[in-house]
Amino acid sequence: MTTISAVSTNKIPTQFWRRSNARISIALCLIGVLALLPFLAPLVHPVIPPITPAHVNLTATNIPPFTDNHLLGTDSLGRDVLGMALWGSRTSLALGLLAALLAVTFGSLWGAVSSLVGGLIDTVMMRIVDGLLAIPPLILLLALSALVNGPAFPETLPRALLTLFDVTSYSLGFLPFVTVISVIAATSWLEAARVAHAKISAIRLEEYVEAARALGAGTLVILFRHLVPNASRIIMIQATLLISDAIVMEAGLSYLGIGLSPDTPSWGTMLRQASSDLFLGNWWAPLVPAALISWTVLSVELLGEGLLEAIGHDDRLR
Amino acid sequence: MLSAIPLLIVLSIVSFGLIRSLPGDPVDAMMGGNTRDIDPRELQAIRNEFGLDQPLPKQYFSWLKGFIGQGELGRSYQDNRKVLVVIGERIPATLTLVGLSLVLTFTNGILWGLFMVTVRFKFKNALVEAPFLTTALLLHSVPAFFLGLLVIYVVTLVPAFHVIPLFGPLRGDEVAIPANLVRFAFLPALTLALNRSAKVALFVRSLALDEITKGYVTTALAKGLSNSQVVLRHVARNCLVPVISLLALSLPTLIGGSVLVETIFAWPGTGRLAVEATFGRNFPVMTTLVMIYGTMVVLSNLVADILVGLADPRIGQNLMDRAQQRPGRSF
């Protein structure tokens, strides 16, 4: 790569390549560090059941950073900030990845099917997306959370699902994790649907698709052999950008008290608990999760924008 | 422009559908999940009163007819007042907050963006610009509610800032004076604006950096204009149109952000009402809020469409199509 940029004297393309490449490599470094956190958790802060990462210790509250045993201090409940942040990275990153995956899979399927079927169904399907897009995302998120946060909600689910999510009469198990992911995905699949629809509609009319059809390929073959591979780049970038959105959304939901349960360590639940600690003079407990969330957002957006720039797609209006 | 009408119809179906996608029984939500202790005949009577025993499409049309005929969208589960009254008394507070933050966002964001470009253009050195760029990137990536807490923290620490009220109006007579309302709205509006204006600044910067490579900039420099004159007079003007469409796109973002910011600052607006309705599972209020917000967004997109057309008649539907693709992150 260095040889190319050194040899090339053509100013604009060089600048262009340098800019997007620099962004992508910085972003990958930042993401690399983030990706290590979940694996560091058991090494740096091992926990032996029944003690959990969110173990409360009221004899060691608000300990400042860089003291023995507590590298990043403790919060007002005496929980180790470093340990919580590391174990929380597992929840937050898994949640971001799963929600983005779910949203992008559903959204691009919706967009692709709509584009392929065409006609009135296409119009109706895309109008639904337009209508939902007009609702501010957080309002939609709140409305959907209202649906799944009632006391009667677990009773409406099939028993097999409840056992799967470890729901008992005194604990909701994994259910909040699953509902938060579903609610976030249900809010953010719309953009993916639009992008997939636009992309598939554009390449559906290309000659090679027509050639494939002339050779006798069916709709499904064309979809998975020709359309999906060609649309996959832009859809993957969309998914990348959704990861950071999902993590921020989880933090917002947890802050409002309709996200994960407080004893599940995640950056969002940490921030909710620690935000009131700020007024006890404890600035380190909220700073750590906030910094980690910002780190994720920054690196993911840098990566997304770098990739979009590299494939020549203008997406600055985000 | 006519596409707004089907959009509004879809919006009404979607927001109505939200009530009915409630797992279980709406009456159960009304009673706070205690239907087991209530006589089934009484439950049937409530169902009858709210028309919940009718088929779904019929319910939708009678809901729509109630709105068009009597301007009524149902009653709040919480206190049985008309939904529009409950929401109506919260709207001035939210409009003040969102309006003020829209103004702050764009004055701050555009000036900041142009400043970064001027600095970069003048010193031809990325390091001089770096601190401003880093600040913008940091502000852009911090969750809005954490920013709100930081703002409160800073204001409480610095005695000079103590004149700014931390929380929303506490007494009714404080709200009556418009100047007072703006004073109370300042901190929440600033919080909302800080996050978004960083985005605007980065956007303006990236647009202006593209513009600077164009021929007319060289011409203007050759004419003897200074670097900052070129940026402010020529480059800024050419960045105007995309910024207008970003303005419209910022509205859903600011409204979404206002939900969290209103909660932090105890601001008596619709955002907090939305949170209260979520907790109380007050579906008629939630539905109507979704409807109102959606209508506001559709209308603001229309206005942006018209403004963009006025600012640059060459741009037709094209830019708006692109603009609608990304509603932006909300917090």
Side-chain angles (χ1 to χ4, degrees), chain B residues 161-192:
Chain B
F161 289 155
H162 285 183
V163 283
I164 311 169
L166 269 185
F167 291 102
L170 299 174
R171 298 195 312 270
D173 56 324
E174 286 178 329
V175 194
I177 312 157
N180 240 350
L181 200 59
V182 173
R183 203 166 67 92
F184 280 115
F186 180 71
L187 273 192
L190 183 73
T191 305
L192 262 184

PDB file of all heavy atoms in Angstrom, chain B residues 161-192:
ATOM      1  N   PHE B 161     -21.886  29.668  37.695  1.00  0.00           N
ATOM      2  CA  PHE B 161     -22.998  29.149  36.900  1.00  0.00           C
ATOM      3  C   PHE B 161     -24.284  29.006  37.706  1.00  0.00           C
ATOM      4  O   PHE B 161     -25.290  28.565  37.175  1.00  0.00           O
ATOM      5  CB  PHE B 161     -22.628  27.771  36.311  1.00  0.00           C
ATOM      6  CG  PHE B 161     -21.596  27.837  35.225  1.00  0.00           C
ATOM      7  CD1 PHE B 161     -20.786  26.751  34.951  1.00  0.00           C
ATOM      8  CD2 PHE B 161     -21.439  28.993  34.467  1.00  0.00           C
ATOM      9  CE1 PHE B 161     -19.827  26.804  33.950  1.00  0.00           C
ATOM     10  CE2 PHE B 161     -20.484  29.057  33.461  1.00  0.00           C
ATOM     11  CZ  PHE B 161     -19.674  27.965  33.210  1.00  0.00           C
ATOM     12  N   HIS B 162     -24.233  29.353  39.011  1.00  0.00           N
ATOM     13  CA  HIS B 162     -25.388  29.045  39.853  1.00  0.00           C
ATOM     14  C   HIS B 162     -26.646  29.819  39.502  1.00  0.00           C
ATOM     15  O   HIS B 162     -27.723  29.489  39.977  1.00  0.00           O
ATOM     16  CB  HIS B 162     -25.031  29.212  41.332  1.00  0.00           C
ATOM     17  CG  HIS B 162     -24.180  28.086  41.831  1.00  0.00           C
ATOM     18  ND1 HIS B 162     -23.779  27.966  43.127  1.00  0.00           N
ATOM     19  CD2 HIS B 162     -23.657  27.021  41.188  1.00  0.00           C
ATOM     20  CE1 HIS B 162     -23.027  26.875  43.252  1.00  0.00           C
ATOM     21  NE2 HIS B 162     -22.938  26.307  42.092  1.00  0.00           N
ATOM     22  N   VAL B 163     -26.500  30.880  38.672  1.00  0.00           N
ATOM     23  CA  VAL B 163     -27.690  31.637  38.270  1.00  0.00           C
ATOM     24  C   VAL B 163     -28.566  30.840  37.302  1.00  0.00           C
ATOM     25  O   VAL B 163     -29.753  31.116  37.171  1.00  0.00           O
ATOM     26  CB  VAL B 163     -27.307  32.977  37.599  1.00  0.00           C
ATOM     27  CG1 VAL B 163     -26.887  33.990  38.645  1.00  0.00           C
ATOM     28  CG2 VAL B 163     -26.240  32.782  36.553  1.00  0.00           C
ATOM     29  N   ILE B 164     -27.949  29.845  36.631  1.00  0.00           N
ATOM     30  CA  ILE B 164     -28.733  29.049  35.680  1.00  0.00           C
ATOM     31  C   ILE B 164     -29.530  28.010  36.468  1.00  0.00           C
ATOM     32  O   ILE B 164     -28.955  27.251  37.241  1.00  0.00           O
ATOM     33  CB  ILE B 164     -27.814  28.327  34.678  1.00  0.00           C
ATOM     34  CG1 ILE B 164     -26.812  29.311  34.081  1.00  0.00           C
ATOM     35  CG2 ILE B 164     -28.620  27.657  33.587  1.00  0.00           C
ATOM     36  CD1 ILE B 164     -25.717  28.640  33.282  1.00  0.00           C
ATOM     37  N   PRO B 165     -30.856  27.991  36.284  1.00  0.00           N
ATOM     38  CA  PRO B 165     -31.635  26.989  37.028  1.00  0.00           C
ATOM     39  C   PRO B 165     -31.323  25.576  36.534  1.00  0.00           C
ATOM     40  O   PRO B 165     -31.210  25.343  35.334  1.00  0.00           O
ATOM     41  CB  PRO B 165     -33.083  27.368  36.733  1.00  0.00           C
ATOM     42  CG  PRO B 165     -33.031  28.250  35.552  1.00  0.00           C
ATOM     43  CD  PRO B 165     -31.679  28.859  35.456  1.00  0.00           C
ATOM     44  N   LEU B 166     -31.162  24.659  37.502  1.00  0.00           N
ATOM     45  CA  LEU B 166     -30.794  23.288  37.158  1.00  0.00           C
ATOM     46  C   LEU B 166     -31.980  22.486  36.658  1.00  0.00           C
ATOM     47  O   LEU B 166     -31.863  21.679  35.763  1.00  0.00           O
ATOM     48  CB  LEU B 166     -30.243  22.577  38.396  1.00  0.00           C
ATOM     49  CG  LEU B 166     -28.756  22.628  38.641  1.00  0.00           C
ATOM     50  CD1 LEU B 166     -28.425  21.775  39.831  1.00  0.00           C
ATOM     51  CD2 LEU B 166     -28.005  22.157  37.424  1.00  0.00           C
ATOM     52  N   PHE B 167     -33.136  22.692  37.293  1.00  0.00           N
ATOM     53  CA  PHE B 167     -34.277  21.858  36.964  1.00  0.00           C
ATOM     54  C   PHE B 167     -35.424  22.698  36.421  1.00  0.00           C
ATOM     55  O   PHE B 167     -35.396  23.918  36.517  1.00  0.00           O
ATOM     56  CB  PHE B 167     -34.718  21.054  38.180  1.00  0.00           C
ATOM     57  CG  PHE B 167     -33.704  20.018  38.538  1.00  0.00           C
ATOM     58  CD1 PHE B 167     -32.836  20.211  39.589  1.00  0.00           C
ATOM     59  CD2 PHE B 167     -33.596  18.869  37.785  1.00  0.00           C
ATOM     60  CE1 PHE B 167     -31.876  19.269  39.888  1.00  0.00           C
ATOM     61  CE2 PHE B 167     -32.642  17.917  38.082  1.00  0.00           C
ATOM     62  CZ  PHE B 167     -31.783  18.118  39.141  1.00  0.00           C
ATOM     63  N   GLY B 168     -36.390  22.028  35.882  1.00  0.00           N
ATOM     64  CA  GLY B 168     -37.514  22.686  35.239  1.00  0.00           C
ATOM     65  C   GLY B 168     -38.319  23.542  36.192  1.00  0.00           C
ATOM     66  O   GLY B 168     -38.061  23.573  37.392  1.00  0.00           O
ATOM     67  N   PRO B 169     -39.294  24.288  35.653  1.00  0.00           N
ATOM     68  CA  PRO B 169     -40.103  25.171  36.495  1.00  0.00           C
ATOM     69  C   PRO B 169     -40.848  24.354  37.552  1.00  0.00           C
ATOM     70  O   PRO B 169     -41.451  23.334  37.249  1.00  0.00           O
ATOM     71  CB  PRO B 169     -41.069  25.811  35.510  1.00  0.00           C
ATOM     72  CG  PRO B 169     -41.026  24.964  34.303  1.00  0.00           C
ATOM     73  CD  PRO B 169     -39.696  24.348  34.250  1.00  0.00           C
ATOM     74  N   LEU B 170     -40.789  24.802  38.795  1.00  0.00           N
ATOM     75  CA  LEU B 170     -41.409  24.048  39.877  1.00  0.00           C
ATOM     76  C   LEU B 170     -42.809  24.556  40.175  1.00  0.00           C
ATOM     77  O   LEU B 170     -43.680  23.803  40.562  1.00  0.00           O
ATOM     78  CB  LEU B 170     -40.551  24.139  41.141  1.00  0.00           C
ATOM     79  CG  LEU B 170     -39.144  23.562  40.989  1.00  0.00           C
ATOM     80  CD1 LEU B 170     -38.323  23.816  42.228  1.00  0.00           C
ATOM     81  CD2 LEU B 170     -39.215  22.076  40.690  1.00  0.00           C
ATOM     82  N   ARG B 171     -43.015  25.879  39.994  1.00  0.00           N
ATOM     83  CA  ARG B 171     -44.336  26.431  40.286  1.00  0.00           C
ATOM     84  C   ARG B 171     -44.993  26.890  38.984  1.00  0.00           C
ATOM     85  O   ARG B 171     -44.316  27.270  38.029  1.00  0.00           O
ATOM     86  CB  ARG B 171     -44.211  27.637  41.224  1.00  0.00           C
ATOM     87  CG  ARG B 171     -43.607  27.301  42.578  1.00  0.00           C
ATOM     88  CD  ARG B 171     -43.859  28.460  43.543  1.00  0.00           C
ATOM     89  NE  ARG B 171     -43.520  29.751  42.959  1.00  0.00           N
ATOM     90  CZ  ARG B 171     -42.307  30.294  43.059  1.00  0.00           C
ATOM     91  NH1 ARG B 171     -41.357  29.677  43.681  1.00  0.00           N
ATOM     92  NH2 ARG B 171     -42.072  31.469  42.513  1.00  0.00           N
ATOM     93  N   GLY B 172     -46.327  26.864  38.976  1.00  0.00           N
ATOM     94  CA  GLY B 172     -47.063  27.235  37.776  1.00  0.00           C
ATOM     95  C   GLY B 172     -46.786  28.653  37.330  1.00  0.00           C
ATOM     96  O   GLY B 172     -46.635  28.917  36.130  1.00  0.00           O
ATOM     97  N   ASP B 173     -46.673  29.606  38.295  1.00  0.00           N
ATOM     98  CA  ASP B 173     -46.522  31.008  37.906  1.00  0.00           C
ATOM     99  C   ASP B 173     -45.156  31.297  37.295  1.00  0.00           C
ATOM    100  O   ASP B 173     -44.962  32.323  36.647  1.00  0.00           O
ATOM    101  CB  ASP B 173     -46.772  31.931  39.106  1.00  0.00           C
ATOM    102  CG  ASP B 173     -45.857  31.582  40.278  1.00  0.00           C
ATOM    103  OD1 ASP B 173     -45.588  30.381  40.458  1.00  0.00           O
ATOM    104  OD2 ASP B 173     -45.398  32.499  40.972  1.00  0.00           O
ATOM    105  N   GLU B 174     -44.204  30.376  37.489  1.00  0.00           N
ATOM    106  CA  GLU B 174     -42.885  30.588  36.902  1.00  0.00           C
ATOM    107  C   GLU B 174     -42.910  30.401  35.387  1.00  0.00           C
ATOM    108  O   GLU B 174     -42.104  30.964  34.668  1.00  0.00           O
ATOM    109  CB  GLU B 174     -41.871  29.608  37.502  1.00  0.00           C
ATOM    110  CG  GLU B 174     -41.464  29.963  38.907  1.00  0.00           C
ATOM    111  CD  GLU B 174     -40.505  28.930  39.479  1.00  0.00           C
ATOM    112  OE1 GLU B 174     -40.600  27.758  39.104  1.00  0.00           O
ATOM    113  OE2 GLU B 174     -39.680  29.316  40.296  1.00  0.00           O
ATOM    114  N   VAL B 175     -43.857  29.577  34.932  1.00  0.00           N
ATOM    115  CA  VAL B 175     -43.902  29.236  33.519  1.00  0.00           C
ATOM    116  C   VAL B 175     -44.548  30.354  32.713  1.00  0.00           C
ATOM    117  O   VAL B 175     -44.281  30.517  31.526  1.00  0.00           O
ATOM    118  CB  VAL B 175     -44.676  27.924  33.310  1.00  0.00           C
ATOM    119  CG1 VAL B 175     -44.461  27.382  31.923  1.00  0.00           C
ATOM    120  CG2 VAL B 175     -44.250  26.908  34.338  1.00  0.00           C
ATOM    121  N   ALA B 176     -45.417  31.141  33.382  1.00  0.00           N
ATOM    122  CA  ALA B 176     -46.225  32.125  32.669  1.00  0.00           C
ATOM    123  C   ALA B 176     -45.378  33.127  31.886  1.00  0.00           C
ATOM    124  O   ALA B 176     -45.786  33.593  30.820  1.00  0.00           O
ATOM    125  CB  ALA B 176     -47.134  32.857  33.647  1.00  0.00           C
ATOM    126  N   ILE B 177     -44.189  33.477  32.392  1.00  0.00           N
ATOM    127  CA  ILE B 177     -43.354  34.457  31.703  1.00  0.00           C
ATOM    128  C   ILE B 177     -42.483  33.728  30.670  1.00  0.00           C
ATOM    129  O   ILE B 177     -41.702  32.850  31.039  1.00  0.00           O
ATOM    130  CB  ILE B 177     -42.449  35.204  32.702  1.00  0.00           C
ATOM    131  CG1 ILE B 177     -43.300  35.677  33.883  1.00  0.00           C
ATOM    132  CG2 ILE B 177     -41.731  36.368  32.053  1.00  0.00           C
ATOM    133  CD1 ILE B 177     -42.512  35.915  35.150  1.00  0.00           C
ATOM    134  N   PRO B 178     -42.624  34.085  29.383  1.00  0.00           N
ATOM    135  CA  PRO B 178     -41.872  33.365  28.338  1.00  0.00           C
ATOM    136  C   PRO B 178     -40.360  33.409  28.565  1.00  0.00           C
ATOM    137  O   PRO B 178     -39.667  32.405  28.351  1.00  0.00           O
ATOM    138  CB  PRO B 178     -42.252  34.114  27.058  1.00  0.00           C
ATOM    139  CG  PRO B 178     -43.533  34.777  27.362  1.00  0.00           C
ATOM    140  CD  PRO B 178     -43.523  35.090  28.820  1.00  0.00           C
ATOM    141  N   ALA B 179     -39.829  34.568  29.008  1.00  0.00           N
ATOM    142  CA  ALA B 179     -38.384  34.686  29.212  1.00  0.00           C
ATOM    143  C   ALA B 179     -37.928  33.664  30.253  1.00  0.00           C
ATOM    144  O   ALA B 179     -36.857  33.070  30.147  1.00  0.00           O
ATOM    145  CB  ALA B 179     -38.023  36.094  29.658  1.00  0.00           C
ATOM    146  N   ASN B 180     -38.775  33.448  31.248  1.00  0.00           N
ATOM    147  CA  ASN B 180     -38.478  32.478  32.296  1.00  0.00           C
ATOM    148  C   ASN B 180     -38.364  31.071  31.740  1.00  0.00           C
ATOM    149  O   ASN B 180     -37.472  30.312  32.111  1.00  0.00           O
ATOM    150  CB  ASN B 180     -39.609  32.505  33.326  1.00  0.00           C
ATOM    151  CG  ASN B 180     -39.085  32.872  34.680  1.00  0.00           C
ATOM    152  OD1 ASN B 180     -37.871  32.927  34.871  1.00  0.00           O
ATOM    153  ND2 ASN B 180     -39.980  33.135  35.609  1.00  0.00           N
ATOM    154  N   LEU B 181     -39.288  30.768  30.835  1.00  0.00           N
ATOM    155  CA  LEU B 181     -39.337  29.428  30.260  1.00  0.00           C
ATOM    156  C   LEU B 181     -38.033  29.141  29.514  1.00  0.00           C
ATOM    157  O   LEU B 181     -37.458  28.068  29.631  1.00  0.00           O
ATOM    158  CB  LEU B 181     -40.534  29.327  29.318  1.00  0.00           C
ATOM    159  CG  LEU B 181     -41.022  27.905  29.008  1.00  0.00           C
ATOM    160  CD1 LEU B 181     -41.416  27.184  30.268  1.00  0.00           C
ATOM    161  CD2 LEU B 181     -42.168  27.943  28.035  1.00  0.00           C
ATOM    162  N   VAL B 182     -37.563  30.142  28.776  1.00  0.00           N
ATOM    163  CA  VAL B 182     -36.318  29.993  28.038  1.00  0.00           C
ATOM    164  C   VAL B 182     -35.152  29.811  29.010  1.00  0.00           C
ATOM    165  O   VAL B 182     -34.260  28.991  28.805  1.00  0.00           O
ATOM    166  CB  VAL B 182     -36.087  31.203  27.110  1.00  0.00           C
ATOM    167  CG1 VAL B 182     -34.712  31.134  26.477  1.00  0.00           C
ATOM    168  CG2 VAL B 182     -37.156  31.256  26.039  1.00  0.00           C
ATOM    169  N   ARG B 183     -35.184  30.571  30.125  1.00  0.00           N
ATOM    170  CA  ARG B 183     -34.120  30.466  31.122  1.00  0.00           C
ATOM    171  C   ARG B 183     -34.075  29.042  31.696  1.00  0.00           C
ATOM    172  O   ARG B 183     -33.014  28.440  31.824  1.00  0.00           O
ATOM    173  CB  ARG B 183     -34.382  31.476  32.236  1.00  0.00           C
ATOM    174  CG  ARG B 183     -33.174  31.881  33.038  1.00  0.00           C
ATOM    175  CD  ARG B 183     -33.485  33.110  33.871  1.00  0.00           C
ATOM    176  NE  ARG B 183     -34.469  32.848  34.906  1.00  0.00           N
ATOM    177  CZ  ARG B 183     -34.160  32.479  36.153  1.00  0.00           C
ATOM    178  NH1 ARG B 183     -32.897  32.318  36.490  1.00  0.00           N
ATOM    179  NH2 ARG B 183     -35.100  32.262  37.036  1.00  0.00           N
ATOM    180  N   PHE B 184     -35.261  28.504  31.993  1.00  0.00           N
ATOM    181  CA  PHE B 184     -35.325  27.150  32.545  1.00  0.00           C
ATOM    182  C   PHE B 184     -34.918  26.109  31.511  1.00  0.00           C
ATOM    183  O   PHE B 184     -34.358  25.075  31.843  1.00  0.00           O
ATOM    184  CB  PHE B 184     -36.735  26.840  33.041  1.00  0.00           C
ATOM    185  CG  PHE B 184     -37.041  27.414  34.380  1.00  0.00           C
ATOM    186  CD1 PHE B 184     -38.009  28.391  34.534  1.00  0.00           C
ATOM    187  CD2 PHE B 184     -36.344  26.975  35.494  1.00  0.00           C
ATOM    188  CE1 PHE B 184     -38.285  28.920  35.778  1.00  0.00           C
ATOM    189  CE2 PHE B 184     -36.624  27.507  36.738  1.00  0.00           C
ATOM    190  CZ  PHE B 184     -37.594  28.484  36.882  1.00  0.00           C
ATOM    191  N   ALA B 185     -35.225  26.421  30.243  1.00  0.00           N
ATOM    192  CA  ALA B 185     -34.959  25.437  29.188  1.00  0.00           C
ATOM    193  C   ALA B 185     -33.496  25.414  28.786  1.00  0.00           C
ATOM    194  O   ALA B 185     -33.079  24.524  28.068  1.00  0.00           O
ATOM    195  CB  ALA B 185     -35.824  25.725  27.964  1.00  0.00           C
ATOM    196  N   PHE B 186     -32.723  26.395  29.253  1.00  0.00           N
ATOM    197  CA  PHE B 186     -31.371  26.550  28.723  1.00  0.00           C
ATOM    198  C   PHE B 186     -30.504  25.311  28.904  1.00  0.00           C
ATOM    199  O   PHE B 186     -29.944  24.796  27.946  1.00  0.00           O
ATOM    200  CB  PHE B 186     -30.692  27.776  29.338  1.00  0.00           C
ATOM    201  CG  PHE B 186     -29.298  27.975  28.816  1.00  0.00           C
ATOM    202  CD1 PHE B 186     -29.092  28.389  27.517  1.00  0.00           C
ATOM    203  CD2 PHE B 186     -28.189  27.717  29.609  1.00  0.00           C
ATOM    204  CE1 PHE B 186     -27.823  28.546  27.016  1.00  0.00           C
ATOM    205  CE2 PHE B 186     -26.908  27.868  29.112  1.00  0.00           C
ATOM    206  CZ  PHE B 186     -26.731  28.283  27.819  1.00  0.00           C
ATOM    207  N   LEU B 187     -30.409  24.821  30.129  1.00  0.00           N
ATOM    208  CA  LEU B 187     -29.509  23.673  30.364  1.00  0.00           C
ATOM    209  C   LEU B 187     -29.940  22.410  29.620  1.00  0.00           C
ATOM    210  O   LEU B 187     -29.121  21.793  28.945  1.00  0.00           O
ATOM    211  CB  LEU B 187     -29.381  23.383  31.854  1.00  0.00           C
ATOM    212  CG  LEU B 187     -28.307  24.166  32.616  1.00  0.00           C
ATOM    213  CD1 LEU B 187     -28.106  23.561  33.985  1.00  0.00           C
ATOM    214  CD2 LEU B 187     -27.008  24.220  31.866  1.00  0.00           C
ATOM    215  N   PRO B 188     -31.230  22.018  29.718  1.00  0.00           N
ATOM    216  CA  PRO B 188     -31.616  20.849  28.934  1.00  0.00           C
ATOM    217  C   PRO B 188     -31.400  21.047  27.436  1.00  0.00           C
ATOM    218  O   PRO B 188     -30.944  20.122  26.747  1.00  0.00           O
ATOM    219  CB  PRO B 188     -33.101  20.657  29.249  1.00  0.00           C
ATOM    220  CG  PRO B 188     -33.491  21.704  30.197  1.00  0.00           C
ATOM    221  CD  PRO B 188     -32.287  22.429  30.645  1.00  0.00           C
ATOM    222  N   ALA B 189     -31.695  22.249  26.941  1.00  0.00           N
ATOM    223  CA  ALA B 189     -31.518  22.501  25.507  1.00  0.00           C
ATOM    224  C   ALA B 189     -30.045  22.424  25.131  1.00  0.00           C
ATOM    225  O   ALA B 189     -29.687  21.884  24.088  1.00  0.00           O
ATOM    226  CB  ALA B 189     -32.088  23.857  25.127  1.00  0.00           C
ATOM    227  N   LEU B 190     -29.196  22.943  26.021  1.00  0.00           N
ATOM    228  CA  LEU B 190     -27.751  22.898  25.758  1.00  0.00           C
ATOM    229  C   LEU B 190     -27.273  21.452  25.678  1.00  0.00           C
ATOM    230  O   LEU B 190     -26.502  21.079  24.799  1.00  0.00           O
ATOM    231  CB  LEU B 190     -27.006  23.649  26.867  1.00  0.00           C
ATOM    232  CG  LEU B 190     -25.496  23.740  26.683  1.00  0.00           C
ATOM    233  CD1 LEU B 190     -25.176  24.730  25.587  1.00  0.00           C
ATOM    234  CD2 LEU B 190     -24.805  24.145  27.965  1.00  0.00           C
ATOM    235  N   THR B 191     -27.759  20.623  26.616  1.00  0.00           N
ATOM    236  CA  THR B 191     -27.375  19.212  26.629  1.00  0.00           C
ATOM    237  C   THR B 191     -27.737  18.538  25.320  1.00  0.00           C
ATOM    238  O   THR B 191     -26.923  17.846  24.708  1.00  0.00           O
ATOM    239  CB  THR B 191     -28.100  18.499  27.778  1.00  0.00           C
ATOM    240  OG1 THR B 191     -27.811  19.186  28.977  1.00  0.00           O
ATOM    241  CG2 THR B 191     -27.668  17.066  27.882  1.00  0.00           C
ATOM    242  N   LEU B 192     -28.996  18.763  24.895  1.00  0.00           N
ATOM    243  CA  LEU B 192     -29.448  18.186  23.633  1.00  0.00           C
ATOM    244  C   LEU B 192     -28.603  18.689  22.482  1.00  0.00           C
ATOM    245  O   LEU B 192     -28.212  17.935  21.596  1.00  0.00           O
ATOM    246  CB  LEU B 192     -30.897  18.607  23.373  1.00  0.00           C
ATOM    247  CG  LEU B 192     -32.011  17.662  23.719  1.00  0.00           C
ATOM    248  CD1 LEU B 192     -33.326  18.252  23.281  1.00  0.00           C
ATOM    249  CD2 LEU B 192     -31.785  16.349  23.009  1.00  0.00           C
TER     250      LEU B 192
END
